[in-house]
Amino acid sequence: SNLSDETEIRVEVIRYTMAGRESWSVIDNTPTGTHATVGGASELLIDDPSFNSCIALVKPGVTSGGVQGPPAGTPMSFTIDMGAATTFDHVMITHSNYITSISYRMKQATFYGSDDNVTYTQIEAAKTVSTSGTAPIRVAFDASHSCRYIKAEIVPYSTASYDPLLYIRDLQVGTTS
C-alpha cells in the first residue's frame, strides 16, 4: 500500500537556571533546634545542596532541646538576604534525605519579597510543597519576581509535639527558560 502516516513530534527543552548563592545569608527565622546528624543552624539552608545538613526549625507551640518555638498558631518562617536584587520564577526546596518522615516536613509555604527588608510584598500564597521524596521540589510561581530578600512562611505537615522540628535541607531560587 502507498499509505503512510506522518507524525510530527516536538520536543521542548526547559532549562532551570539557579541563582548563585555566594553572597546569601539567612537573616531571620523561626528559632532553630539541633540534630546530631543534620545540624540545625540557619546557614545550613543555603549551603552546598549535596550536603546532608538541614535547617531545623522549632515548630509552633513546642520546645525542642530547651529552644521554644513560636507561639501556637504562629507561622514558621525564614528570610534570606540574597545580597542583591535577584530575578526568579520558582524556588527549589529539598527535604532532608536523612530524616524522611513527612511529619518533619513542610506542606505549604507563602512567599514574600522585599528590596529593603522592611516592606514585604506577597509573591505567592499557600503554595503546596510535596512531602514525598528527597529530590529537589520545584515550586513554580505565576510570574517572575525580582527582590533582594525572600521570606517564606511555612505550614508544617504536622504540629505534634512529639516531632518538634521541621527540617529543610536546601532552598534555591531560579529562572525557567
Side-chain angles (χ1 to χ4, degrees):
S1 157
N2 290 334
L3 296 176
S4 67
D5 289 331
E6 288 187 25
T7 303
E8 184 177 317
I9 299 173
R10 294 180 185 210
V11 176
E12 182 179 358
V13 175
I14 298 174
R15 177 169 292 137
Y16 302 124
T17 303
M18 306 317 292
R21 300 189 295 180
E22 300 80 27
S23 60
W24 286 24
S25 61
V26 179
I27 59 170
D28 183 36
N29 54 266
T30 296
T32 58
T34 58
H35 185 278
T37 301
V38 299
S42 301
E43 64 272 8
L44 299 178
L45 177 63
I46 57 173
D47 64 356
D48 185 322
S50 66
F51 294 167
N52 190 29
S53 54
C54 299
I55 187 172
L57 301 171
V58 181
K59 293 180 181 177
V62 300
T63 300
S64 176
V67 178
Q68 178 66 46
T74 302
M76 302 169 74
S77 68
F78 58 80
T79 302
I80 296 173
D81 178 355
M82 297 183 282
T86 303
T87 301
F88 55 94
D89 61 13
H90 67 275
V91 296
M92 296 289 260
I93 296 169
T94 309
H95 295 298
S96 173
N97 60 351
Y98 180 77
I99 301 163
T100 58
S101 169
I102 63 173
S103 62
Y104 296 99
R105 296 181 172 191
M106 74 168 81
K107 72 173 182 179
Q108 195 176 74
T110 296
F111 295 92
Y112 300 88
S114 174
D115 290 322
D116 61 8
N117 196 28
V118 176
T119 305
Y120 279 83
T121 303
Q122 185 174 296
I123 294 173
E124 296 274 340
K127 295 296 286 187
T128 299
V129 178
S130 172
T131 56
S132 64
T134 59
I137 299 161
R138 182 174 177 268
V139 179
F141 299 139
D142 292 336
S144 184
H145 301 275
S146 182
C147 58
R148 176 174 173 169
Y149 302 89
I150 185 169
K151 178 178 183 175
E153 287 188 349
I154 301 163
V155 175
Y157 181 83
S158 166
T159 57
S161 61
Y162 56 82
D163 49 1
L165 299 173
L166 181 140
Y167 298 95
I168 307 168
R169 188 170 97 205
D170 194 64
L171 182 127
Q172 298 183 62
V173 301
T175 55
T176 307
S177 57

